[in-house]
Amino acid sequence: SAVISQKPSRDICQRGTSLTIQCQVDSQVTMMFWYRQQPGQSLTLIATANQGSEATYESGFVIDKFPISRPNLTFSTLTVSNMSPEDSSIYLCSVEDQGSGNTIYFGEGSWLTVV
Amino acid sequence: SQQGEEDPQALSIQEGENATMNCSYKTSINNLQWYRQNSGRGLVHLILIRSNEREKHSGRLRVTLDTSKKSSSLLITASRAADTASYFCATENAGNMLTFGGGTRLMVKP
């Protein structure tokens, strides 16, 4: 199994600033996914992050706004840049552990409030 | 976090048959959501059912919610090989955080 540590769990951010969310996995995984969830709504996939390649962004999300790093098979970061109140949301990382039969694991989520 | 329970963990059926997956949870919820994930791809949202709703339909999908039993079911009718995927339920609690079940791996044989 894979255990995911996501930081920060919560933060209050000033408008115009940027915040980086970290996702640490206790085992090597190929696929990592970043999602956004606004309260009362479903998850929206932001991007897929594979080690050694550029992240693949979904429609409506761009690298300048949500830069992602994936320096190795156990770690990824998502930065929310130049934040506005509309970015207030829960951000969630998820991994697919191909070593355990493609099992999916989820982080605890990072709840950002932009003021 | 991943705390809900889904059953079965794996389900194998023939094309054309119906597939039923169940989800149980422990705390009161705002809504319950079902997702599908194909290996190597991100989650795809299927249906969101609110705590005051009992049943919702979307195409070949039917979701029921029984808040008294803290359980939900996802029914896929007339299954197709393309329905082969992992299916997850997720509950949103009063704090707006999502809790995921362990998922059901569905295999639909042509």
Side-chain angles (χ1 to χ4, degrees):
Chain A
S1 66
V3 177
I4 301 174
S5 173
Q6 192 172 333
K7 297 178 183 178
S9 57
R10 286 178 183 264
D11 208 339
I12 298 174
C13 309
Q14 294 295 317
R15 187 188 303 240
T17 63
S18 298
L19 183 83
T20 296
I21 303 166
Q22 299 179 2
C23 184
Q24 178 76 53
V25 191
D26 69 346
S27 59
Q28 294 185 339
V29 293
T30 305
M31 309 288 296
M32 294 184 81
F33 305 93
W34 285 100
Y35 297 90
R36 182 172 70 186
Q37 184 231 339
Q38 292 169 315
Q41 300 186 26
S42 60
L43 287 180
T44 301
L45 179 65
I46 297 171
T48 303
N50 295 330
Q51 194 265 338
S53 63
E54 293 283 331
T56 302
Y57 288 83
E58 297 298 304
S59 176
F61 297 96
V62 295
I63 188 171
D64 289 346
K65 177 67 176 177
F66 297 100
I68 288 172
S69 77
R70 182 80 200 274
N72 55 53
L73 292 174
T74 65
F75 187 75
S76 178
T77 66
L78 169 75
T79 299
V80 186
S81 303
N82 188 25
M83 286 186 284
S84 65
E86 291 71 33
D87 294 319
S88 296
S89 190
I90 298 167
Y91 294 85
L92 187 73
C93 79
S94 171
V95 306
E96 179 171 335
D97 184 4
Q98 295 177 335
S100 64
N102 301 103
T103 303
I104 307 300
Y105 298 92
F106 300 93
E108 295 287 328
S110 298
W111 195 347
L112 304 187
T113 302
V114 184
V115 297
Chain B
S1 64
Q2 200 154 356
Q3 299 176 15
E5 294 182 8
E6 291 185 57
D7 77 273
Q9 291 187 338
L11 179 61
S12 181
I13 59 175
Q14 293 294 134
E15 205 164 28
E17 295 179 339
N18 296 342
T20 300
M21 289 160 266
N22 303 297
C23 170
S24 61
Y25 56 93
K26 298 176 182 176
T27 64
S28 60
I29 61 172
N30 291 341
N31 64 66
L32 185 145
Q33 306 169 24
W34 283 92
Y35 292 86
R36 181 184 72 216
Q37 182 155 15
N38 293 87
S39 180
R41 310 289 294 273
L43 290 169
V44 173
H45 175 247
L46 298 176
I47 290 182
L48 184 153
I49 186 166
R50 304 197 184 282
S51 60
N52 62 352
E53 298 176 310
R54 292 296 167 259
E55 187 170 312
K56 283 189 90 167
H57 297 254
S58 177
R60 293 182 297 112
L61 307 180
R62 182 171 78 97
V63 167
T64 62
L65 177 64
D66 187 334
T67 53
S68 67
K69 295 181 180 178
K70 291 187 170 57
S71 67
S72 174
S73 67
L74 170 67
L75 168 67
I76 304 174
T77 60
S79 64
R80 305 168 183 168
D83 294 328
T84 294
S86 292
Y87 291 82
F88 293 88
C89 70
T91 53
E92 184 189 275
N93 61 23
N96 300 120
M97 299 300 288
L98 280 182
T99 301
F100 283 88
T104 295
R105 293 180 193 221
L106 174 65
M107 168 74 75
V108 181
K109 300 175 184 176

